[in-house]
Amino acid sequence: MMSALSPAELPVIDFSLLSGNQQQQQQILEKLSQAARDVGFFYLINHGIDRELSDEVQDVARKFFALPQAEKSAVAMANSPHFRGYNRAGVEITRSQPDYREQFDIGAEREALPVTADSPTWQRMQGPNQWPEALPELQTVVTRWQQQMTAVALALLRAFAEALTLPRNAFDNLYGDYPNEHIKLIRYPGRTEGESRQGVGAHKDSGFLTMLLQDDQPGLQVEVTSDNWIDASPLPGAFVVNIGELLELATNGYLRATVHRVVSPPQISERLSIAFFLGAQLDAVVPIYQLPAQLAHLAQGPSSDPLNPLLREVGWNYLKGRLRSHPEVARRFYPEHNTH
Ligand code: OGA
Ligand code: NI
């Protein structure tokens, strides 16, 4: 059922060539557009994110997960209407099944908006993060990483626009002045053969694009064609980048938001990953961009998962995903949307 392929099977994009000579730029844009269309996943190398900083983020994430349970529970997501904070393994749900990963969710640090009778519900997702008192360096390290990651992600997004022969700044007004960044520190505990191995169930990411920092433990798998999964094995120094639903929608399906999942590592091991999701402003509505004819005729329309219809209104699309993943937060803070 599963063919395990080497990392070389996913394309490798050298980010530094985007600022190379004209010929290099042209070549890398073509490669980028092909990778995003064929597989929707690729490795990004020479991205300019300090190796030391990424190491620090991994170290501080490991320290966080090693805190006593009470310290982690003090910042539980169940206390946050903004979907920020800690979840124990088995709490998050994907495709109606629990995910065996513990995680800490961080978003753009902003003030909560006042809730009024006619403000749309998704506005409640904006708000402050929860930071653990026992580990103050978490906030400083993650915030530095978030800034560097945002810069690279936005440069990539502009490169996608160029690769699609759209104006470089075509997507700028979607992420606007308040891009909706989201970071997840994730730890996948080892599981025995007899237990469910759903680290995270099959899903698409909801934003523009995702950049993932893996450790050296495999487990991430990509559905390249229906029911044909390949391993996105760790490649040292590289980020795994994938397309999210917003870019699939914006290009009418020309670019692919590919389904992926994580299989739990075997017992006595664990897997750490740090995901950076670049989203749009919550109040944006995603148009279909006019692609040139030679690209447009290849766009099949977004391949919507019947279990997960895509919505063009960014706030609603994002809220839909968050409510499905976090039923406890949904029950507590979004009772009017509770379908369980
Ligand atoms: C996700 C995801 C992959 C990983 O959180 O959306 O796909 O390796 N994570 O943790
Ligand atoms: Ni994902």
Side-chain angles (χ1 to χ4, degrees), residues 41 101 184 186 188 200-201 203-206 210 212 220 242 258-262 275 277:
F41 263 79
R101 57 178 191 174
K184 248 185 205 300
I186 313 166
Y188 298 88
V200 59
H203 68 280
K204 294 179 175 191
D205 292 344
S206 61
T210 304
L212 188 77
L220 176 62
N242 65 284
T258 307
V259 172
H260 54 284
R261 67 184 179 193
V262 173
F277 306 95

Side-chain angles (χ1 to χ4, degrees), residues 213-224:
L213 177 64
Q214 307 195 77
D215 69 358
D216 54 12
Q217 179 74 42
L220 176 62
Q221 299 184 332
V222 178
E223 191 179 30
V224 279

Side-chain angles (χ1 to χ4, degrees), residues 6-19:
S6 71
E9 295 294 332
L10 286 185
V12 177
I13 301 286
D14 182 341
F15 184 79
S16 68
L17 296 181
L18 286 172
S19 39

Side-chain angles (χ1 to χ4, degrees), residues 275-316:
F276 175 92
F277 306 95
L278 181 72
Q281 263 188 204
L282 292 177
D283 60 0
V285 177
V286 181
I288 296 179
Y289 290 85
Q290 207 53 57
L291 298 180
Q294 74 274 20
L295 303 183
H297 88 275
L298 296 169
Q300 305 288 324
S303 70
S304 194
D305 175 346
L307 299 172
N308 177 27
L310 305 184
L311 307 174
R312 292 198 171 276
E313 291 161 303
V314 171
W316 291 118

Side-chain angles (χ1 to χ4, degrees), residues 247-266:
L247 272 185
E248 179 164 314
L249 275 172
T251 60
N252 200 29
Y254 181 78
L255 298 186
R256 272 183 74 185
T258 307
V259 172
H260 54 284
R261 67 184 179 193
V262 173
V263 177
S264 302

Side-chain angles (χ1 to χ4, degrees), residues 11-15 17-19 21-42 156 158-166 243 254-255 292 294-295 298:
V12 177
I13 301 286
D14 182 341
F15 184 79
L17 296 181
L18 286 172
S19 39
N21 65 35
Q22 208 163 10
Q23 193 192 356
Q24 287 170 323
Q25 284 184 27
Q26 203 46 47
Q27 276 173 358
I28 203 67
L29 286 178
E30 269 165 36
K31 199 167 168 188
L32 190 63
S33 135
Q34 190 146 27
R37 168 167 176 68
D38 291 349
V39 204
F41 263 79
F42 55 89
L156 259 184
R158 293 198 174 115
F160 274 120
E162 273 190 281
L164 296 167
T165 69
L166 296 170
I243 304 298
Y254 181 78
L255 298 186
Q294 74 274 20
L295 303 183
L298 296 169

Side-chain angles (χ1 to χ4, degrees), residues 111-280:
E111 299 275 303
L113 296 167
V115 178
T116 67
D118 46 27
S119 56
T121 322
W122 50 256
Q123 282 195 354
R124 297 199 73 192
M125 290 189 293
Q126 176 168 322
N129 292 301
Q130 301 195 80
W131 297 104
E133 261 172 44
L135 194 61
E137 71 209 83
L138 183 67
Q139 178 170 11
T140 43
V141 174
V142 167
T143 304
R144 267 168 52 222
W145 195 72
Q146 181 171 29
Q147 285 161 355
Q148 290 202 14
M149 294 297 286
T150 302
V152 173
L154 291 181
L156 259 184
L157 195 61
R158 293 198 174 115
F160 274 120
E162 273 190 281
L164 296 167
T165 69
L166 296 170
R168 236 174 95 65
N169 60 359
F171 302 126
D172 285 21
N173 58 356
L174 287 182
Y175 65 78
D177 296 326
Y178 300 99
N180 186 23
E181 308 123 321
H182 174 191
I183 291 175
K184 248 185 205 300
L185 316 179
I186 313 166
R187 179 181 164 272
Y188 298 88
R191 306 276 290 167
T192 62
E193 281 302 328
E195 293 174 313
S196 158
R197 300 292 289 277
Q198 177 167 310
V200 59
H203 68 280
K204 294 179 175 191
D205 292 344
S206 61
F208 278 122
L209 47 90
T210 304
M211 297 175 65
L212 188 77
L213 177 64
Q214 307 195 77
D215 69 358
D216 54 12
Q217 179 74 42
L220 176 62
Q221 299 184 332
V222 178
E223 191 179 30
V224 279
T225 53
S226 180
D227 243 353
N228 176 25
W229 296 83
I230 67 166
D231 294 325
S233 306
L235 184 67
F239 286 98
V240 175
V241 178
N242 65 284
I243 304 298
E245 292 172 348
L246 288 186
L247 272 185
E248 179 164 314
L249 275 172
T251 60
N252 200 29
Y254 181 78
L255 298 186
R256 272 183 74 185
T258 307
V259 172
H260 54 284
R261 67 184 179 193
V262 173
V263 177
S264 302
Q267 213 183 12
I268 73 152
S269 55
E270 61 174 18
R271 176 171 180 273
L272 185 85
S273 72
I274 321 271
F276 175 92
F277 306 95
L278 181 72

